[in-house]
Amino acid sequence: MTSPIPIGELAREFGVTARTLRFYEDKGLLSPRREGSNRLYSRRDRARLKQIILGKAVGFSLDVIKEMLEIYDLKDGQAVHLEMALSRFAEQLVVLRRQRQKIDEAIGDMTRTMNLVAGMLRDRQASELEIPREAAE
Amino acid sequence: MTSPIPIGELAREFGVTARTLRFYEDKGLLSPRREGSNRLYSRRDRARLKQIILGKAVGFSLDVIKEMLEIYDLKDGQAVHLEMALSRFAEQLVVLRRQRQKIDEAIGDMTRTMNLVAGMLRDRQASELEIPREAAE
DNA sequence: TTGCTCCTCACGTCACGTGAGGTGGC
DNA sequence: TTGCTCCTCACGTCACGTGAGGTGGC
């Protein structure tokens, strides 16, 4: 129906830039039809893009996303492929948890530092109140 | 005392590569002494490196880390500087929380996908048990 | 001579951003 | 003619990685 859409539209729909879509094409992740020089993206292209974006969201590189898409394309009936994907996901899950851990540490560091600085500010204000200095430096 | 140390030692101590230290120097974040052509890092350099690494850990770019170090160097007595830093930290804290949120979503996506794939595998095995097919494709 | 650490270019990588200059159809 | 969307180079960015080729002192 409304299927083949131009690059700008697809970009808007997914919140990416046209450059990004062309870049993915360059990397072999997408291969839209051409109408003259203009690109037209089918439903299949959109499905792939969705996968790509999800893959990126969970921290895969474009290279491994490409591999996974290719496995998907092999009419992935084979259980071997599913198991491969599953173990890869498991690995990535570990990575994600580690990242989460680091972010938590960073948040901890940050709040500690902020308390420290806030304390310095308070001290300063206190001493300004106690010992009003001359204006000149 | 054991103060000025060569690049390899400092790198090992902080878990970075020598290239990284040279890169930071290039960017104006570090400026070790030279002994001939060799670099020697003082206690001050180490203190700075510690700040740099903490800054990176909480998600600042090298450019803003540099700014912050420079402010630090201005014998940062001024409350204005502290307040600037504080508001910058507050902003970054928001960024960190958002990142944390995204990671959590990613973990959610990942586990959902894994359950899905695991389910597919189970179905496959079940149907293999029920309807033993001929060996030939 | 071999082995280790250090050095300086300088190109490569990853995932795009950002112009520059040009085209096509309302 | 103006405005919009599309196109193709091609260099820039960020934070380094990775050789290539050479030096200095045990």
Side-chain angles (χ1 to χ4, degrees), chain A residues 77 99-100 103-104 124, chain B residues 77 99-100 103-104 110 124:
Chain A
Q99 278 180 26
R100 199 191 130 104
I103 298 255
D104 281 346
R124 202 140 315 203
Chain B
Q99 277 181 27
R100 198 191 130 106
I103 298 254
D104 281 346
M110 193 57 107
R124 202 142 314 204

Side-chain angles (χ1 to χ4, degrees), chain A residues 57-58 60 77 79 82-83 86 89-90 92-93 96 99-100 103-104 106-107 109-111 113-114 117 121 124, chain B residues 57-58 60 77 79 82-83 86 89-90 92-93 96 99-100 103-104 106-107 109-111 113-114 117 121 124:
Chain A
V58 299
F60 288 119
L82 293 180
E83 276 159 10
L86 205 54
F89 291 163
Q92 189 58 21
L93 197 54
L96 284 173
Q99 278 180 26
R100 199 191 130 104
I103 298 255
D104 281 346
I107 290 179
D109 288 349
M110 193 57 107
T111 47
T113 307
M114 289 179 68
V117 175
L121 274 170
R124 202 140 315 203
Chain B
V58 298
F60 287 120
L82 294 179
E83 275 159 12
L86 205 54
F89 291 162
Q92 188 59 19
L93 196 56
L96 284 172
Q99 277 181 27
R100 198 191 130 106
I103 298 254
D104 281 346
I107 290 179
D109 289 349
M110 193 57 107
T111 48
T113 308
M114 289 181 68
V117 175
L121 274 170
R124 202 142 314 204

Side-chain angles (χ1 to χ4, degrees), chain B residues 50-110:
Chain B
K50 205 179 244 169
Q51 306 255 29
I52 294 169
I53 288 175
L54 200 155
K56 283 210 55 191
V58 298
F60 287 120
S61 75
L62 293 184
D63 271 4
V64 332
I65 291 176
K66 187 183 174 187
E67 279 180 48
M68 293 171 69
L69 285 174
E70 278 161 5
I71 290 176
Y72 232 79
D73 277 353
L74 289 178
K75 208 53 197 154
D76 71 336
Q78 278 68 7
V80 213
H81 292 149
L82 294 179
E83 275 159 12
M84 272 181 48
L86 205 54
S87 77
R88 185 164 261 170
F89 291 162
E91 279 174 38
Q92 188 59 19
L93 196 56
V94 173
V95 172
L96 284 172
R97 288 200 212 284
R98 198 154 45 215
Q99 277 181 27
R100 198 191 130 106
Q101 172 77 12
K102 288 205 124 193
I103 298 254
D104 281 346
E105 284 168 20
I107 290 179
D109 289 349
M110 193 57 107

